[in-house]
């Protein structure tokens, strides 16, 4: 990061899928008046494109060759919420479909894909105060973030939360299926060679197993306030 970044504040929140990152990050971004950047949504948008165009998400060369055609854009609506555009089409809703998760995980393993997205993510942090969540924000994307939090919860707790979320969305799945997919994604995300999920040395770990949303939010805001005094 260069000197011009220093005026802006960055809060990096990393952790495995289903740990509550996005709900918590969105909420604290609102409280603090920062921009919330959901980086998983970017990988999901690429995954969505591969699925729609019958490209094997595990085929790095094919995915890389397709990237310039995607016209990937992140925009923010009047509601302040992040929208993902794919060739001008708003795909914010469909990238949440359960079948997009494994495609997103597969495309995110390619170093070329990650390199392609790096500048897009860094520019958002240069131009805005951000709460950015993902897997490699504190380690790779924003290594000089003002606050780094590594958010975790037990796999069973994460599967339980995800099951409720899918039920609310009207796309229910069984606990066993969800738990198996969480295990699979955890393995993919932590074992890939390119920017694997790991806790940055200077990150604060927050385990939300057994904590309510409010309690998790309070704990997170406490960590932030210690490092970014109001
Ligand atoms: O957080 P999520 O489930 O929406 O992320 C989708 C996939 O993208 C997930 O398998 C991990 C990957 N990802 C990543 O590799 N790096 C990020 N910064 C964010 C997500």
């Amino acid at each position: 990061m260069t000197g011009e970044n220093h005026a802006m504040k960055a809060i990096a929140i990393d952790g495995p899928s289903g740990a509550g990152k996005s709900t918590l990050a969105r909420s604290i971004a609102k409280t603090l008046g920062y921009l919330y950047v959901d980086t998983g949504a970017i990988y999901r948008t690429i995954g969505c494109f591969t699925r729609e165009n019958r490209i094997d998400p595990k085929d790095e060369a094919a995915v890389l060759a397709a990237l310039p055609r995607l016209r990937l854009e992140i925009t923010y609506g009047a509601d302040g919420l992040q929208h993902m555009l794919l060739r001008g089409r708003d795909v914010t809703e469909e990238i949440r479909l359960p079948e997009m998760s494994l495609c997103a995980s597969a495309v995110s393993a390619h170093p070329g894909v990650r390199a392609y997205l790096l500048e897009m993510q860094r520019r958002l942090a240069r131009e805005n105060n951000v709460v950015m969540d993902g897997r490699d924000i504190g380690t790779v994307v924003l290594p000089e973030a003002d606050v780094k939090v590594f958010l975790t919860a037990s796999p069973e707790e994460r599967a339980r939360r995800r099951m409720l979320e899918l039920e609310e969305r009207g796309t229910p799945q069984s606990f066993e299926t969800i738990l198996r997919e969480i295990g699979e994604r955890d393995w993919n995300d932590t074992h890939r060679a390119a920017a694997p999920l790991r806790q940055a040395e200077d990150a604060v770990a927050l385990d939300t197993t057994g904590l309510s949303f409010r309690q998790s939010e309070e704990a997170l805001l406490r960590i932030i306030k210690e490092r970014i005094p109001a």
Side-chain angles (χ1 to χ4, degrees):
M1 281 168 72
T2 53
E4 75 215 63
N5 294 329
H6 291 157
M8 293 299 172
K9 299 287 181 204
I11 299 167
I13 302 186
D14 291 301
S17 55
K21 294 187 301 295
S22 55
T23 324
L24 279 169
R26 189 179 302 116
S27 172
I28 58 158
K30 194 166 176 204
T31 305
L32 299 169
Y34 286 17
L35 190 71
Y36 166 53
V37 184
D38 169 4
T39 63
I42 315 177
Y43 293 95
R44 284 174 178 273
T45 303
I46 301 176
C48 177
F49 181 85
T50 62
R51 210 179 143 80
E52 285 180 354
N53 292 275
R54 297 170 185 277
I55 295 169
D56 176 2
K58 293 195 174 136
D59 182 342
E60 175 161 24
V63 176
L64 285 183
L67 285 179
R69 285 195 278 135
L70 264 65
R71 287 198 281 120
L72 209 56
E73 284 174 80
I74 300 186
T75 62
Y76 285 85
D79 50 6
L81 294 182
Q82 175 180 324
H83 288 255
M84 293 306 307
L85 302 188
L86 180 56
R87 299 164 68 92
R89 178 166 59 100
D90 192 325
V91 293
T92 311
E93 292 291 320
E94 65 193 86
I95 59 173
R96 295 290 144 205
L97 293 172
E99 57 269 32
M100 299 299 176
S101 301
L102 285 173
C103 285
S105 181
V107 298
S108 73
H110 306 314
V113 171
R114 308 199 69 86
Y116 185 86
L117 299 180
L118 205 50
E119 180 49 27
M120 178 189 254
Q121 298 170 81
R122 285 186 176 159
R123 183 167 12 95
L124 284 165
R126 267 200 304 275
E127 296 172 355
N128 305 277
N129 289 320
V130 291
V131 178
M132 193 178 281
D133 80 11
R135 303 294 188 286
D136 62 339
I137 309 307
T139 51
V140 178
V141 180
L142 304 176
E144 291 178 36
D146 299 273
V147 185
K148 298 181 186 179
V149 178
F150 195 78
L151 207 66
T152 56
S154 71
E156 291 75 15
E157 171 79 10
R158 290 189 279 136
R160 200 183 56 75
R161 291 177 189 168
R162 179 88 181 127
M163 191 167 78
L164 292 176
E165 192 187 322
L166 289 174
E167 268 169 23
E168 276 168 21
R169 282 213 185 108
T171 51
Q173 281 190 328
S174 74
F175 182 79
E176 289 69 28
T177 306
I178 296 171
L179 189 61
R180 181 164 26 81
E181 282 202 9
I182 281 186
E184 221 173 297
R185 281 217 282 160
D186 280 357
W187 199 93
N188 286 350
D189 295 345
T190 52
H191 286 75
R192 67 179 178 222
L197 171 65
R198 66 173 179 83
Q199 183 177 337
E201 270 168 30
D202 50 353
V204 182
L206 177 60
D207 185 338
T208 66
T209 312
L211 295 187
S212 68
F213 176 75
R214 283 275 159 263
Q215 290 168 324
S216 308
E217 193 180 33
E218 278 167 19
L220 194 52
L221 283 170
R222 252 196 317 274
I223 293 168
I224 293 167
K225 284 192 177 135
E226 277 167 18
R227 286 156 185 85
I228 306 179

